[in-house]
């Protein structure tokens, strides 16, 4: 599974406003922004990201996933406080 497939899958399944995926071999990092995370616990947010990826995790295409989730409001604040270098 390539990065663009993962981004498309997560965007469609979770109605995300922004998603960024990076990969190093079979280890992936996901940054996801969406209203779907509003009022949801961190554990549930992680489960929401894992759910669409379970088939790829089960077949070994994805070995490990690092996840950061934000609501759009949290993401705006994050970008203000931690601008990209």
């Amino acid at each position: 599974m390539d990065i663009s497939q993962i981004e498309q899958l997560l965007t469609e399944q979770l109605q995300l406003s922004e998603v960024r995926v990076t990969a190093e071999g079979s280890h992936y990092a996901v940054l996801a922004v969406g209203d779907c995370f509003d009022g949801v616990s961190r554990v549930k947010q992680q489960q929401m990201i894992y759910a669409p990826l379970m088939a790829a995790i089960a077949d070994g295409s994805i070995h490990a996933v690092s996840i950061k989730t934000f609501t759009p409001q949290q993401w705006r604040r994050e970008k203000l406080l931690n601008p990209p270098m």
Side-chain angles (χ1 to χ4, degrees), residues 19-58:
V19 63
R20 296 181 191 167
V21 178
T22 57
E24 222 175 279
S26 61
H27 295 247
Y28 291 81
V30 174
L31 183 144
V33 181
D35 287 321
C36 59
F37 302 123
D38 191 28
V40 177
S41 73
R42 283 278 183 204
V43 171
K44 181 65 177 164
Q45 291 175 16
Q46 303 259 324
Q47 291 171 340
M48 291 167 69
I49 296 293
Y50 276 117
L53 304 176
M54 286 311 293
I57 293 169

Side-chain angles (χ1 to χ4, degrees), residues 54-65:
M54 286 311 293
I57 293 169
D59 74 13
S61 308
I62 296 176
H63 175 71
V65 182

Side-chain angles (χ1 to χ4, degrees), residues 17-18 20 31 33 70-85:
S17 55
E18 188 171 344
R20 296 181 191 167
L31 183 144
V33 181
F70 300 92
T71 65
Q73 297 82 4
Q74 291 169 331
W75 182 233
R76 282 191 292 277
R77 183 174 185 268
E78 178 74 14
K79 289 191 297 188
L80 284 173
L81 296 176
N82 298 304
M85 299 183 135

